[in-house]
Amino acid sequence: MQVSVEATKGLERTMTITVAADVFEKEFNGRIRKLSKTQRVDGFRPGKVPVSVIIKRFGAAVENEVAGEVMQKNVFEAIIAEKLNPAGAPSVAPKARKKGEDFVFTAIFEVYPEVVLKDLAELSVSKEDAQVTDADLDKMIETLRKQHASWSEIKENAADEHQVTLNFEGSIDGEIFEGGKAEDFQIVLGSGRMIPGFESGIVGNKAGSEFTIEVNFPEEYHAENLKGKAAKFKINLNKVEEQILPEITEDFVKKFGVKSGEINELKEDVKKNMQRELEQVLKNNAKDVVLNALVADNEVDIPKALVDSEINILRKQAMERYGKQMDPKNVPELPVELFTEQAEKRVKVGLLLGEVIKLNELKVDQDKVTALIESAASAYENPVEVVEYYKNNKEMMQNMENVALEEQAVDFIFAKAKVTNEQKTFDEIMNKTVA
């Protein structure tokens, strides 16, 4: 086998491989002889079919079969021999040949780039910190009360935090548009569910009144035919209700799984959940900051094969999410452009973080893996069962080890980089996440 490698463009390599004629012919002739002994052809006794007849009937198919196997075997041997690191499966193609000539084929593929990291000590990043205060806890308890609130009809003018029931009909230039009409529609004013100006246009009106509000659809509105359009909505305000919050009684507390009915025990549970969620969000934010800075600070070529693979993963995940909300048969084929930017970033992050791990010989910290599993398990009713499930599932353990190693790399970068600490409130952190 003879091999030559040419750098064609960027990370693409074209490898030309030559397999000696006698090697190819030996394999070809051996298969033809076997067929001559097993094939039944009219006019010939079994096992006595002449080789020339077999070649005439099956020669082309056998040659293609041998070519495929020879290419598959030799391309990987050549890649190892040339010490190349393909970023995707090679695309192989045979060249035309005549009987007795060497078998020549090409393999085209991309290789992983050489990643050269800049000094991590020159990397500037900010790190957010926040605490769960008593005020945050009180606000969360108030939120729980609101989630279990009831509504009572009132005669006063509608105001923010009132729930209203209404009929509406929207029009643009006097024409009713699709989706702009509803009856007995309920909304809590000030919740921001509707387009700007809709909810505020209802404030100050009483039940039983009829009125028209004028609004503008946002330029970024999801319906193309409504983007930026001025619209009028005819409103029939049927009902106005105020929220009645439940008292914090023993029965109220028990609704949240606190058997004792003690409010202090509920607060302890709620605070633990808030702290766990806050820690996770802070960790995710810190990771994003580090990875964004790493990508911005380091240039790296990315193989198209890896980007295409990531696009397929992202597209599949999106299709699965949409499939849960509608009939999978009706889910449209999502365009590649929706995922390209995210896929490219994920590939860059993987290459750069992999280089950080390799250069600094980072190994999985099993104590960190255990801590991650226990943290995930703490959100379940029976944490011990969850921990055991992880320990007995190789794939789940491997995933958690990957997460741990990635977090170790992020922590390592933070330890080397120039870090600016930013103190934030619980709401600032959590509201940003929701947004």
Side-chain angles (χ1 to χ4, degrees), residues 162-192:
H162 284 166
Q163 179 172 272
V164 294
T165 304
L166 63 148
N167 303 338
F168 66 80
E169 184 177 76
S171 62
I172 296 176
D173 296 330
E175 295 290 329
I176 306 300
F177 57 86
E178 185 179 355
K181 183 177 181 179
E183 293 186 357
D184 291 328
F185 183 80
Q186 285 188 329
I187 185 170
V188 176
L189 298 180
S191 62

Side-chain angles (χ1 to χ4, degrees), residues 113-253:
E114 181 182 357
V115 180
V116 181
L117 281 174
K118 290 185 180 179
D119 187 355
L120 295 177
E122 298 301 315
L123 200 66
S124 296
V125 293
S126 62
K127 191 173 186 179
E128 297 173 330
D129 191 25
Q131 304 296 327
V132 177
T133 65
D134 290 341
D136 295 324
L137 179 57
D138 290 341
K139 190 173 180 179
M140 185 59 71
I141 296 297
E142 194 70 5
T143 299
L144 296 179
R145 292 179 70 197
K146 289 180 178 180
Q147 289 172 354
H148 290 77
S150 58
W151 296 95
S152 177
E153 188 170 356
I154 59 174
K155 300 300 181 183
E156 286 84 358
N157 291 346
D160 280 349
E161 298 191 0
H162 284 166
Q163 179 172 272
V164 294
T165 304
L166 63 148
N167 303 338
F168 66 80
E169 184 177 76
S171 62
I172 296 176
D173 296 330
E175 295 290 329
I176 306 300
F177 57 86
E178 185 179 355
K181 183 177 181 179
E183 293 186 357
D184 291 328
F185 183 80
Q186 285 188 329
I187 185 170
V188 176
L189 298 180
S191 62
R193 280 179 56 197
M194 307 299 283
I195 61 175
F198 189 96
E199 294 172 32
S200 59
I202 298 170
V203 171
N205 291 281
K206 286 187 176 182
S209 60
E210 296 183 10
F211 53 95
T212 300
I213 59 176
E214 297 183 8
V215 296
N216 284 295
F217 281 93
E219 292 292 343
E220 67 277 9
Y221 195 68
H222 60 85
E224 193 68 34
N225 62 315
L226 300 177
K227 287 182 177 180
K229 296 289 181 66
K232 291 183 179 181
F233 282 90
K234 181 182 176 181
I235 307 288
N236 291 331
L237 187 54
N238 302 329
K239 188 191 297 184
V240 178
E241 297 172 289
E242 67 177 355
Q243 194 175 53
I244 307 298
L245 297 179
E247 295 295 325
I248 301 179
T249 62
E250 189 174 303
D251 287 340
F252 174 78
V253 172

Side-chain angles (χ1 to χ4, degrees), residues 92-103:
V92 296
K95 292 189 176 182
R97 69 181 287 274
K98 295 179 181 178
K99 186 173 177 58
E101 292 181 345
D102 290 340
F103 177 68

Side-chain angles (χ1 to χ4, degrees), residues 113-120 294 298 350-363 405 409 412-413 416:
E114 181 182 357
V115 180
V116 181
L117 281 174
K118 290 185 180 179
D119 187 355
L120 295 177
L294 197 63
N298 292 275
L351 293 170
L352 293 170
L353 213 53
E355 192 67 13
V356 171
I357 292 169
K358 183 179 76 172
L359 285 179
N360 298 285
E361 300 181 346
L362 302 182
K363 306 296 181 186
L405 187 56
F412 181 87
I413 296 170
K416 294 287 186 181

Side-chain angles (χ1 to χ4, degrees), residues 40-57:
R40 292 182 176 275
V41 178
D42 292 343
F44 298 96
R45 286 181 296 165
K48 300 296 183 178
V49 182
V51 169
S52 60
V53 173
I54 294 296
I55 291 176
K56 186 175 181 180
R57 283 200 173 192

Side-chain angles (χ1 to χ4, degrees), residues 154-381:
I154 59 174
K155 300 300 181 183
E156 286 84 358
N157 291 346
D160 280 349
E161 298 191 0
H162 284 166
Q163 179 172 272
V164 294
T165 304
L166 63 148
N167 303 338
F168 66 80
E169 184 177 76
S171 62
I172 296 176
D173 296 330
E175 295 290 329
I176 306 300
F177 57 86
E178 185 179 355
K181 183 177 181 179
E183 293 186 357
D184 291 328
F185 183 80
Q186 285 188 329
I187 185 170
V188 176
L189 298 180
S191 62
R193 280 179 56 197
M194 307 299 283
I195 61 175
F198 189 96
E199 294 172 32
S200 59
I202 298 170
V203 171
N205 291 281
K206 286 187 176 182
S209 60
E210 296 183 10
F211 53 95
T212 300
I213 59 176
E214 297 183 8
V215 296
N216 284 295
F217 281 93
E219 292 292 343
E220 67 277 9
Y221 195 68
H222 60 85
E224 193 68 34
N225 62 315
L226 300 177
K227 287 182 177 180
K229 296 289 181 66
K232 291 183 179 181
F233 282 90
K234 181 182 176 181
I235 307 288
N236 291 331
L237 187 54
N238 302 329
K239 188 191 297 184
V240 178
E241 297 172 289
E242 67 177 355
Q243 194 175 53
I244 307 298
L245 297 179
E247 295 295 325
I248 301 179
T249 62
E250 189 174 303
D251 287 340
F252 174 78
V253 172
K254 286 182 178 179
K255 288 181 179 179
F256 301 95
V258 180
K259 294 180 181 179
S260 68
E262 291 289 336
I263 182 60
N264 287 336
E265 189 175 340
L266 173 61
K267 285 185 175 181
E268 287 178 11
D269 289 349
V270 171
K271 189 170 184 177
K272 284 180 183 177
N273 288 335
M274 291 173 70
Q275 287 174 331
R276 181 175 59 249
E277 291 176 12
L278 177 63
E279 287 171 6
Q280 188 61 50
V281 172
L282 287 172
K283 184 189 293 185
N284 290 340
N285 289 353
K287 176 182 170 182
D288 287 343
V289 166
V290 163
L291 298 183
N292 288 339
L294 197 63
V295 168
D297 206 48
N298 292 275
E299 290 291 332
V300 58
D301 292 331
I302 52 175
K304 184 179 181 299
L306 296 185
V307 174
D308 290 344
S309 176
E310 285 294 335
I311 287 174
N312 288 335
I313 292 171
L314 291 170
R315 178 190 265 169
K316 182 179 178 182
Q317 291 172 346
M319 296 287 281
E320 288 174 352
R321 286 196 297 272
Y322 285 124
K324 292 178 181 177
Q325 300 169 17
M326 63 177 78
D327 187 340
K329 296 177 183 177
N330 297 328
V331 178
E333 183 71 14
L334 299 174
V336 168
E337 293 75 21
L338 284 177
F339 310 101
T340 302
E341 185 177 348
Q342 186 182 358
E344 288 177 348
K345 183 179 178 182
R346 284 174 62 155
V347 171
K348 286 181 182 178
V349 165
L351 293 170
L352 293 170
L353 213 53
E355 192 67 13
V356 171
I357 292 169
K358 183 179 76 172
L359 285 179
N360 298 285
E361 300 181 346
L362 302 182
K363 306 296 181 186
V364 176
D365 182 345
Q366 292 301 329
D367 289 339
K368 190 172 186 66
V369 175
T370 301
L372 286 170
I373 293 172
E374 290 176 349
S375 176
S378 67
Y380 292 85
E381 188 174 345

